[in-house]
Amino acid sequence: GEDGDPRAPGLALRLFEAAAETDSPIPSGHPIAMLCAGVHYEKGIGVEGQDYEKALGYYKRACGHPDPGDSTKGAAYRRLARMYHEGLGADKDETMARRCLEHAEMYKYASD
């Protein structure tokens, strides 16, 4: 791992990003990888500091993916809602935050 740590968050992020960009085996990239990359950037895991704009971009891509799976889509919408509510990576927008929460609720009890 990095610096003697058995975990390698920087490597994990690079792998999530690669999976998010690939067209095989999932066309349009892997939506779970998009969600995970977003979390890494939002929380500053494996990178120097937090990058809310990149996180927001990955969450949007996961939400817009043609077949993300319900739990992934719900989680991505919940994260987007919080970011819009707090103005992280975008202007604070309560209307968008509410819309994202409404979408997240549609997937709350769904299973993949």
Side-chain angles (χ1 to χ4, degrees):
E2 298 168 354
D3 300 321
D5 188 338
R7 298 167 293 164
L11 174 60
L13 176 58
R14 289 191 300 276
L15 293 172
F16 289 139
E17 289 181 310
E21 299 304 322
T22 187
D23 275 333
S24 178
I26 300 173
S28 302
H30 199 292
I32 294 172
M34 293 171 194
L35 178 62
C36 291
V39 170
H40 273 67
Y41 279 112
E42 179 184 353
K43 298 193 175 284
I45 301 169
V47 294
E48 288 291 323
Q50 296 160 298
D51 189 331
Y52 297 124
E53 290 175 0
K54 280 191 178 181
L56 191 78
Y58 276 112
Y59 296 150
K60 285 180 178 180
R61 286 184 59 205
C63 289
H65 194 279
D67 189 22
D70 290 340
S71 62
T72 301
K73 195 167 210 167
Y77 270 120
R78 281 188 296 280
R79 291 194 170 275
L80 271 178
R82 188 179 73 75
M83 294 189 80
Y84 280 118
H85 175 72
E86 296 180 17
L88 303 173
D91 291 335
K92 189 172 182 173
D93 187 334
E94 291 300 326
T95 301
M96 281 299 294
R98 276 191 301 278
R99 284 184 191 154
C100 289
L101 280 178
E102 289 168 5
H103 285 297
E105 281 297 308
M106 293 185 335
Y107 302 101
K108 185 174 183 179
Y109 301 107
S111 60
D112 290 323

